[in-house]
Amino acid sequence: MHPKRISVKFFVSPDPQLAVDLHPFIGIFHSFIQQKTVEGLLIDVANYAHVPEGPGVVLIGHDVEYAIDSTDGRAGLLVTRKNFGGAVPVPYVLRDTLRKALGMIRAIEAHPDAGLKFAMDAIEIQFVDRLAGPNTDAGYEAARAALEGPLQEVFGAGASLARGHTADSRAMLSVRVNVAEPADAGTLLDRACAAVGGIRTQNGAAPPEPDAKPQTPWDVSAVALEKLRDEGADFVLLDVREPAELEICSLNGTNIPSGQLHGRLNELERDAHIVVHCKGGGRSSKAVEMLRAAGFGNVWNLRGGILAWIDQIDSSLTRY
Amino acid sequence: MSSPPLRWKQQLAGQMDPGWASEIDDFESQLQLRSQGKLDEKVFAETRLRRGVYGQRYDNGQRHDGIAEATLAFADRPTKGSETLWDAPGMQRIKIPGGGVTPEQLEVLADCAEEYSDGILHVTTRQDFQLHYIHIEDTPDMMRRLAAVGITTREACGNSVRNVTACPRAGVCKTETFDVSPYARALMEFMLGHPDVQDFGRKFKPAFSGCEHEACGLIQLHDAGWLAREKDGKRGFKVVVGGGLGPVPHQAKLLSEFTPEEEFLKEMQAVARVFARLGEKKNRGRARIKFLVAKLGIEEFRRLVEAEKKTIPHDPRHTAFLDDMPRTQGEPARLPAPLPPGEHSDAFKTWYATNIYHQRQSGYSLVTIALPLGDMTSNQTRALVDIARTYSGDNIRTTVEQNMVLRFVSSEDLPALYEALDAAGLASPGAGSIIDVTSCPGTDTCKLGIASSRGLAGELRNRLGAKSASLPQAIKDLKIKVSGCFNSCGQHHVADIGFYGNSRKIDGRTVPHFQVILGGQWTENAGSYGLAVGSVPSKAIPEAVEALTEGYVQGREPNESFQSWMARIGKRNAREIIKPFMKVPAYVDGPDFYSDWSDVREFTIGDLGVGECAGEVVSLFGIEVVKAESQAFDAQITLDEGDAEGAEDGAYSAMLSAARALVRIEYIDVTEDADDIVQQFKTRFFENERFFDRFAKGKFGRYLLDRHANPPARVDTDLAKQRIEEAQLFIEASHACEARLAPEVAVAGQPAQESLATQ
């Protein structure tokens, strides 16, 4: 199943049935756009505070929307992931949405004007696509099969799934997740990031250089790469993917596919500053090790590859 | 290989009208061609607009985030039409003829709002629905889902016949001549995609009314309106043409005292042909039919329509609809019965007093669902559907006051219905009262918005709602309507108290304001328009409203309407009431004035037009333009006193003064001579397009140039009124031009004192 949109909702703690003061979120969300505090191509803030049990205040983005939502009378952070630019498998979208949601939660909880905490013991996942994810028994079974594994990776083996929205077949397919042993948002974020490729998200609350699992001793993050580019630093960006992959998305680096690299070393200068990337970091890690062994002293690996770049820097590129 | 993904196209095959289905397929192909750069962007822009696919604010990828102008990092793809970036979210307008929707249609609208928008259905001032933040790739499937339940978005925008509106009480009203709904439906079906309506220079908005003296269908402000009439036992219509709001509002003119029902479609076809042939095509600002009617005079226009009618070949569709009348009336779900006597809660009684209309069908009620700012959620929509199925059947309509109504509710069921609505958050009282503020989208999502109309409307609703129990009835009965700019989508001209957004440069910064329009008439089909009395900063509007309503309650004579009271005290006194609120404190004393309602960013009009930096901040303009404003104001008073010629001349002088104030920024020695001023204005500001508004282009500047080149031989009241409106807009445009010239004071990271010192 390939739904066009998926949403994840974390509920307000301690009591999601109490009304949330939405007004401060207009300012908070505008400041998140200004400071690029959370992930996504952020566009604007929509205020629906006048509508009862509605989306409240929404931070609108191209690829993701964040809402302080009180649909069904339960207040929480509703994060909707959309515009994937292709058919992306549900487990991947789920991990990615969780990571964005947890990043936002950390940013909100750290904000002095928000006055909001979120519970980690239950979430709701909705398939915002009635064609790909119908609210039927079969739809739920397919969803459960796709979600259970990745949910247990992040929330632990005790995470149990149940079908929501059973009373109204017109509502969206909903999966309610109960967590037996809740962890804090930071731990969940680490687990979600590990699952998506070892890169931990940036936000106001996270450390500036995410402490994700290294792929080589010579890793640089996507954020660091962007900084190099912004500074106009003199370095070579080496893309070791296959030419067909470049057509999907590219950072406009020099392309030498990993299989040909050994035979084309003469195209690179031994003392050049080189950053190598591939799709997710596997091929580039090997390339970095090989280049260093061949005497290239200033070679680095883009941790998480172009996927990390898309997630953290430029979501307008097509993910594959 | 996994199975190919499911598609709505296959899923809904056979459920859509075949013609509609193939139109949507064509649109999808055009969309793909454009995304590959294989279709001209202008052609594609008109194609998508004719399918109701609109742009939205920031869709050129530029947005002021409150600190700086920022570029939104949308992918580099072909545009959707000039300056509208492919990935920028847009608005989908969904036309609802006569406002009539069925439960099945509402369910699909609710699904689409959830899956493609943000879960909000918005009702417009022309009985449409709008969904915002839509991605263009989703639109073909959304159109298919709507088409499968009998809704088309074709000609919801673009230079076409727009949604046909009609009074939501049509068919149940106690004062109507007859039910106009089937006729509205017939016009919509006849005109949709008709070859004679494809070559208009501008949009065309039709409306139907059953009653002459109520607000009903507001036909006086429409491009064409049909008022139900009976003559010798035969049905027909009084027909009016050439009305319209917009920057320069026109009352519609009488085309025909009585057009028999079997001839009204043919007559409309003739009107369409005359408009398509003779209407302005190049200058969008003069292209609505109101300008053609004003230019030709209604007598000549009528003659042309009569002549055209004779050339139109016989078409069975002109009368076919009469064979299966009436057909829009759904079956009531329940038998009629009176409201049972007994104890009701105070909340029920408050709601009952404002939200219930007793239908002419005894024992049935029409119930208004008052929607805050015209919005409801998908969940609320489904709840409303369930309630409608139980209590009213298919009889649901949208209203031009951005509400919904349920018709044919048995009065016996009202207490249970109230409980059910209340549980869904849909039982707000005060429908049609002062708290039921109407507002266009404004700066929230509209590219043309200048100030936050929804922000102001929400604030007024909260403040007035909090004290509504203690408000005198005379105040409760007033109507407030807000537009984000002079284009009047909020219909501010026909409210007791109306506002449209503008801005003023103060203290080196731009401050959101609203022009206050008082004394417009809602009844008599929007029979007369209110008049501008002055601009008040957005943040002081609630106090100004309080002063106006207080002044009215204290000063009115028994049973005197707001409109009569306004006419009696005159605009000069009205201006005195709002004058204390017109002042803007310096930035250090009131920074709050420098941001808009429901927004925290420091206000800017940079999102509206691309700024132009010409150097020094010159405050001379601010001093000199005041003269123009008081001249325009005096011209209104002169007109009230019956001197049309003097008023027209005064309005012209006001434009000259504003132009002179602009010219003096650069050329201090300009004389008082009209030729000299116009010449300097023309070369310094008009010909190089510095005066041009991004959307209106040179429209406002041309008001002065045209008047100067061609002084009128004869002045009547209509012309004087029009000139005053033009002067008002010319002054606004001068303010906007000056704001673009003056460099914006850096907002962030700079102490306020320092920025003041640069003045």
Side-chain angles (χ1 to χ4, degrees):
Chain A
M1 64 198 311
H2 294 291
K4 290 192 159 187
R5 297 184 181 198
I6 267 191
S7 73
V8 167
K9 186 168 177 179
F10 282 84
F11 297 95
V12 166
S13 169
D15 184 358
Q17 295 189 344
L18 291 179
V20 171
D21 179 10
L22 290 167
H23 188 73
F25 285 91
I26 298 171
I28 292 170
F29 283 176
H30 275 295
S31 75
F32 285 180
I33 296 176
Q34 289 161 356
Q35 293 155 22
K36 298 187 171 62
T37 310
V38 292
E39 284 187 78
L41 200 179
L42 307 176
I43 301 173
D44 201 12
V45 180
N47 175 15
Y48 295 114
H50 52 277
V51 183
E53 297 194 8
V57 177
V58 190
L59 175 47
I60 306 272
H62 172 68
D63 48 346
V64 58
E65 270 169 27
Y66 303 92
I68 305 297
D69 174 277
S70 60
T71 301
D72 299 334
R74 301 219 294 157
L77 172 71
L78 178 75
V79 180
T80 307
R81 187 79 170 82
K82 57 181 184 169
N83 289 339
F84 311 128
V88 183
V90 168
Y92 182 80
V93 177
L94 173 72
R95 292 182 192 114
D96 184 68
T97 314
L98 281 173
R99 194 183 69 176
K100 288 178 164 64
L102 288 159
M104 178 57 118
I105 283 172
R106 285 169 64 93
I108 291 174
E109 289 186 343
H111 199 291
D113 297 343
L116 220 52
K117 298 271 182 245
F118 295 90
M120 297 294 131
D121 58 351
I123 63 166
E124 180 180 20
I125 297 160
Q126 290 186 96
F127 285 67
V128 192
D129 183 338
R130 286 176 173 79
L131 189 63
N135 185 9
T136 58
D137 291 342
Y140 175 70
E141 278 315 312
R144 202 178 60 83
L147 293 173
E148 200 159 32
L151 280 169
Q152 289 179 349
E153 271 169 31
V154 176
F155 290 97
S160 61
L161 280 61
R163 187 173 165 197
H165 288 167
T166 47
D168 190 348
S169 61
R170 299 168 301 179
M172 293 186 287
L173 174 61
S174 151
V175 178
R176 300 214 159 133
V177 184
N178 273 298
V179 180
E181 292 165 18
D184 62 68
T187 307
L188 295 176
L189 186 55
D190 286 339
R191 292 182 197 157
C193 291
V196 194
I199 302 300
R200 174 144 161 191
T201 184
Q202 276 268 323
N203 67 47
E209 276 290 336
D211 52 342
K213 191 176 159 205
Q215 295 178 324
T216 69
W218 305 287
D219 282 359
V220 294
S221 67
V223 175
L225 175 60
E226 187 196 32
K227 206 162 156 239
L228 281 177
R229 284 191 154 189
D230 281 355
E231 287 166 352
D234 181 19
F235 74 104
V236 176
L237 182 64
L238 178 63
D239 186 345
V240 294
R241 295 176 303 151
E242 300 303 312
E245 296 179 85
L246 267 67
E247 289 189 19
I248 305 170
C249 59
S250 159
L251 302 180
N252 302 318
T254 307
N255 179 225
I256 304 179
S258 51
Q260 303 173 16
L261 188 58
H262 192 72
R264 293 171 63 180
L265 291 180
N266 58 348
E267 292 179 37
L268 299 166
E269 289 174 27
R270 272 169 214 273
D271 55 354
H273 179 184
I274 301 172
V275 178
V276 190
H277 84 84
C278 60
K279 180 185 178 188
R283 283 169 287 175
S284 60
S285 301
K286 291 198 181 80
V288 166
E289 280 165 19
M290 192 265 279
L291 286 166
R292 284 193 171 255
F296 292 76
N298 194 8
V299 183
W300 303 83
N301 171 49
L302 174 62
R303 193 194 303 152
I306 195 167
L307 292 180
W309 177 270
I310 294 171
D311 285 337
Q312 297 177 48
I313 309 294
D314 184 3
S315 60
S316 70
L317 295 179
T318 305
R319 169 180 274 292
Y320 70 106
Chain B
M1 283 292 289
S2 60
S3 56
L6 293 169
R7 295 210 49 204
W8 282 112
K9 184 175 169 178
Q10 280 83 44
Q11 201 78 4
L12 298 174
Q15 294 177 49
M16 296 177 275
D17 173 292
W20 290 7
S22 84
E23 280 171 16
I24 298 168
D25 290 347
D26 289 349
F27 176 63
E28 191 167 44
S29 329
Q30 284 160 335
L31 197 150
Q32 279 156 6
L33 283 175
R34 180 59 203 153
S35 74
Q36 297 157 9
K38 291 177 187 160
L39 186 69
D40 177 72
E41 67 172 4
K42 286 203 181 92
V43 173
F44 182 68
E46 182 62 21
T47 306
R48 73 175 161 79
L49 287 169
R50 285 192 187 210
R51 300 218 60 91
V53 181
Y54 236 72
Q56 229 176 256
R57 205 165 179 85
Y58 317 122
D59 65 10
N60 61 351
Q62 296 298 313
R63 177 180 179 275
H64 201 281
D65 68 13
I67 293 174
E69 192 67 28
T71 299
L72 301 172
F74 292 121
D76 186 15
R77 303 177 67 178
T79 66
K80 292 183 273 192
S82 54
E83 294 186 33
T84 302
L85 300 184
W86 191 265
D87 281 340
M91 176 268 278
Q92 177 71 50
R93 186 174 295 147
I94 299 162
K95 63 200 267 192
I96 307 292
V101 278
T102 64
E104 293 70 31
Q105 291 175 334
L106 277 177
E107 282 174 339
V108 172
L109 283 160
D111 289 355
C112 290
E114 264 172 350
E115 292 176 45
Y116 305 124
S117 176
D118 46 16
I120 293 284
L121 290 87
H122 176 73
V123 179
T124 77
T125 55
R126 293 204 76 256
Q127 296 181 304
D128 298 298
F129 280 102
Q130 279 181 191
L131 305 181
H132 291 98
Y133 307 107
I134 299 283
H135 296 280
I136 193 160
E137 283 94 344
D138 289 334
T139 55
D141 277 347
M142 175 165 45
M143 288 170 190
R144 290 185 178 107
R145 295 169 77 175
L146 292 167
V149 288
I151 295 177
T152 177
T153 67
R154 178 163 185 189
E155 289 161 16
C157 301
N159 297 334
S160 56
V161 176
R162 299 290 185 87
N163 195 31
V164 181
T165 56
C167 178
R169 287 182 189 171
V172 305
C173 171
K174 283 183 282 200
T175 51
E176 72 182 1
T177 308
F178 57 81
D179 180 3
V180 295
S181 315
Y183 300 89
R185 183 87 208 170
L187 182 91
M188 172 268 177
E189 287 176 358
F190 180 59
M191 287 285 112
L192 184 70
H194 194 289
D196 287 346
V197 303
Q198 303 303 311
D199 192 26
F200 287 177
R202 199 77 176 81
K203 61 188 169 184
F204 189 93
K205 298 177 179 176
F208 281 79
S209 249
C211 314
E212 183 137 29
H213 303 298
E214 307 295 317
C216 201
L218 306 173
I219 59 169
Q220 283 301 116
L221 59 78
H222 279 83
D223 293 279
W226 289 265
L227 172 68
R229 277 206 169 152
E230 272 176 352
K231 195 170 156 187
D232 307 327
K234 262 195 70 59
R235 283 180 170 193
F237 296 96
K238 170 185 162 181
V239 184
V240 295
V241 288
L245 296 179
V248 183
H250 285 57
Q251 282 279 327
K253 300 282 185 288
L254 179 71
L255 179 70
S256 154
E257 278 289 356
F258 186 80
T259 298
E261 59 180 352
E262 66 272 15
E263 279 182 38
F264 94 98
L265 288 180
K266 188 176 182 181
E267 184 182 67
M268 168 63 212
Q269 200 180 342
V271 168
R273 286 184 171 193
V274 171
F275 178 47
R277 194 169 67 236
L278 301 177
E280 171 68 42
K281 295 280 165 58
K282 289 203 181 88
N283 179 358
R284 281 174 66 80
R286 307 297 277 186
R288 292 284 289 275
I289 197 172
K290 63 188 177 185
F291 296 106
L292 181 64
V293 171
K295 189 172 104 187
L296 298 172
I298 186 65
E299 292 79 15
E300 174 64 6
F301 186 84
R302 188 183 299 125
R303 193 189 66 75
L304 288 166
V305 170
E306 281 306 313
E308 193 68 41
K309 250 163 76 176
K310 297 197 179 83
T311 71
I312 292 177
H314 173 73
D315 184 338
R317 291 183 302 163
H318 288 148
T319 51
F321 70 97
L322 292 167
D323 298 340
D324 56 349
M325 295 256 292
R327 55 190 173 137
T328 57
Q329 201 65 72
E331 291 299 313
R334 310 261 293 166
L335 292 172
L339 177 67
E343 283 301 299
H344 298 294
S345 68
D346 286 348
F348 174 81
K349 283 187 269 189
T350 309
W351 172 80
Y352 182 86
T354 48
N355 295 39
I356 300 302
Y357 173 81
H358 301 291
Q359 295 185 190
R360 74 163 178 269
Q361 294 85 356
S362 175
Y364 281 122
S365 294
L366 176 143
V367 177
T368 302
I369 321 294
L371 301 177
L373 308 186
D375 291 345
M376 62 179 173
T377 65
S378 291
N379 271 355
Q380 285 182 307
T381 307
R382 283 188 285 267
L384 183 60
V385 162
D386 292 341
I387 292 167
R389 283 195 173 122
T390 308
Y391 295 108
S392 81
D394 274 359
N395 292 284
I396 315 169
R397 296 206 183 171
T398 56
T399 83
V400 297
E401 296 203 271
Q402 301 178 304
N403 292 327
M404 305 282 295
V405 300
L406 298 179
R407 299 141 53 100
F408 285 96
V409 173
S410 172
S411 300
E412 185 182 25
D413 291 332
L414 288 173
L417 178 94
Y418 174 79
E419 293 304 323
L421 287 174
D422 193 39
L426 291 169
S428 298
S433 78
I434 193 167
I435 64 170
D436 194 7
V437 182
T438 305
S439 166
C440 71
T443 49
D444 274 14
T445 51
C446 179
K447 287 157 85 163
L448 306 176
I450 293 172
S452 175
S453 44
R454 276 166 65 89
L456 174 62
E459 185 68 23
L460 290 173
R461 195 174 190 283
N462 284 345
R463 293 202 193 191
L464 293 161
K467 57 180 183 181
S468 66
S470 61
L471 288 176
Q473 193 60 40
I475 293 183
K476 280 188 194 167
D477 290 344
L478 299 178
K479 285 189 190 297
I480 299 181
K481 294 180 185 290
V482 192
S483 301
C485 77
F486 46 76
N487 282 309
S488 320
C489 299
Q491 301 179 336
H492 56 260
H493 293 289
V494 293
D496 295 296
I497 304 175
F499 302 103
Y500 73 82
N502 58 18
S503 66
R504 291 283 181 273
K505 194 92 185 175
I506 289 156
D507 201 6
R509 292 174 159 86
T510 316
V511 180
H513 277 63
F514 281 92
Q515 176 67 243
V516 182
I517 312 277
L518 297 176
Q521 189 179 25
W522 182 243
T523 53
E524 303 287 332
N525 276 286
S528 69
Y529 300 145
L531 286 164
V533 294
S535 266
V536 172
S538 297
K539 289 292 168 78
I541 294 280
E543 283 75 29
V545 167
E546 201 161 313
L548 282 165
T549 53
E550 280 298 307
Y552 168 54
V553 170
Q554 313 266 314
R556 76 195 280 251
E557 285 171 357
N559 297 320
E560 191 176 30
S561 72
F562 189 85
Q563 210 192 3
S564 318
W565 172 70
M566 268 298 304
R568 180 163 61 78
I569 67 167
K571 280 180 290 288
R572 202 184 289 275
N573 286 321
R575 189 181 171 91
E576 284 305 313
I577 297 176
I578 62 164
K579 212 168 183 175
F581 309 100
M582 291 168 76
K583 214 179 137 29
V584 178
Y587 184 75
V588 278
D589 299 327
D592 193 40
F593 275 75
Y594 295 77
S595 64
D596 211 336
W597 292 111
S598 186
D599 202 338
V600 293
R601 292 172 294 162
E602 192 133 328
F603 185 77
T604 170
I605 52 169
D607 290 326
L608 186 65
V610 178
E612 200 182 0
C613 260
E616 305 286 301
V617 178
V618 181
S619 59
L620 186 66
F621 174 85
I623 299 159
E624 299 204 341
V625 79
V626 171
K627 185 178 165 198
E629 283 175 355
S630 50
Q631 280 170 324
F633 186 75
D634 289 344
Q636 285 182 358
I637 289 166
T638 310
L639 181 63
D640 281 357
E641 289 161 357
D643 178 3
E645 211 162 316
E648 196 276 342
D649 194 58
Y652 166 55
S653 305
M655 287 194 272
L656 284 173
S657 300
R660 186 168 185 274
L662 264 186
V663 169
R664 294 220 334 140
I665 294 173
E666 300 193 337
Y667 177 51
I668 200 89
D669 296 326
V670 65
T671 66
E672 299 267 358
D673 177 63
D675 288 338
D676 192 23
I677 294 170
V678 172
Q679 189 50 46
Q680 291 293 340
F681 169 76
K682 208 167 154 184
T683 47
R684 289 172 186 277
F685 290 96
F686 189 80
E687 281 169 353
N688 56 19
E689 305 195 354
R690 290 163 77 196
F691 191 76
F692 282 31
D693 174 282
R694 186 161 142 225
F695 297 100
K697 306 288 178 205
K699 176 159 89 174
F700 305 133
R702 229 169 276 124
Y703 292 155
L704 172 63
L705 301 186
D706 290 352
R707 167 60 179 84
H708 182 70
N710 308 303
R714 201 179 57 81
V715 176
D716 58 11
T717 311
D718 276 358
L719 180 63
K721 267 189 197 161
Q722 184 189 327
R723 193 77 73 224
I724 292 168
E725 293 285 346
E726 289 178 355
Q728 209 77 48
L729 291 159
F730 185 89
I731 294 168
E732 291 304 337
S734 306
H735 275 289
C737 177
E738 195 262 345
R740 288 195 299 270
L741 296 176
E744 297 269 344
V745 173
V747 173
Q750 191 175 6
Q753 286 300 341
E754 191 184 319
S755 60
L756 280 173
T758 63
Q759 294 298 292

